[in-house]
Amino acid sequence: VVPPDLACFRNLLTVFAVRAAFSSSDYCHVLQTMAARGTDKNASWKFSEIELAVNLVQSLSDDMMKLPDMEIFAPSETNKIVPASSLVYDDAPWLAKNTGKGNTFTFIHPKISNTVAEKVGGKSLRHMLLQSNTTAVDFGGGIAHEAFGQSE
């Protein structure tokens, strides 16, 4: 939003194509830029930068219908900015600490709610644990069934 102090320059700002507000795609690009910067081994994030990323993700979750083709990045619990689709949200806090040695999940930042995490592409811990314990069985007809710990 253009500050009121600059309202007198509205015509000049319009000539230079300054928009009145940012769009969801702008928020996505900011997160992508932050993620690219975070690939450097020496990159560290300030508290305010992680807070910015959390706020951007929360804003993006309200406009997901406008961003079907954009890859969304989000902060992890270790303060790294990674693709949201690679993150897991903890919808089973009583299980998170006991997921087993074979399961290594990257959890979404704790300030991002489960609802927001799901909207931006995060995966449920319960679903991931269930998926790791199921086997798809095809009985024909193009319908796949799941065998959950069943054997004969």
Side-chain angles (χ1 to χ4, degrees):
V1 177
V2 176
D5 297 346
L6 299 177
C8 61
F9 300 110
R10 186 173 316 276
N11 292 337
L12 178 64
L13 295 173
T14 303
V15 169
F16 286 116
V18 174
R19 292 179 279 160
F22 293 112
S23 68
S24 296
S25 62
D26 294 325
Y27 295 158
C28 270
H29 289 297
V30 169
L31 289 167
Q32 288 172 350
T33 302
M34 290 175 80
R37 193 185 102 204
T39 58
D40 180 16
K41 290 181 181 179
N42 297 326
S44 62
W45 300 105
K46 296 178 187 172
F47 176 78
S48 60
E49 292 172 320
I50 292 297
E51 287 294 312
L52 172 66
V54 167
N55 290 332
L56 290 174
V57 169
Q58 290 172 342
S59 294
L60 283 172
S61 72
D62 295 334
D63 285 341
M64 287 307 297
M65 299 304 279
K66 297 178 183 176
L67 302 166
D69 300 336
M70 303 268 322
E71 182 176 26
I72 297 175
F73 289 81
S76 70
E77 70 177 349
T78 58
N79 292 335
K80 294 181 181 175
I81 305 210
V82 296
S85 59
S86 70
L87 295 171
V88 174
Y89 61 89
D90 188 3
D91 61 342
W94 58 92
L95 292 175
K97 305 297 182 211
N98 302 318
T99 57
K101 295 178 183 175
N103 296 322
T104 55
F105 300 118
T106 304
F107 289 97
I108 199 155
H109 195 276
K111 288 193 175 183
I112 296 175
S113 71
N114 293 348
T115 305
V116 169
E118 184 177 17
K119 285 182 180 180
V120 297
K123 295 175 180 62
S124 160
L125 175 64
R126 288 186 206 185
H127 179 74
M128 296 299 289
L129 290 173
L130 183 64
Q131 189 176 20
S132 69
N133 290 317
T134 60
T135 310
V137 178
D138 187 10
F139 290 114
I143 299 173
H145 302 277
E146 291 183 356
F148 183 76
Q150 300 171 355
S151 62
E152 290 186 26

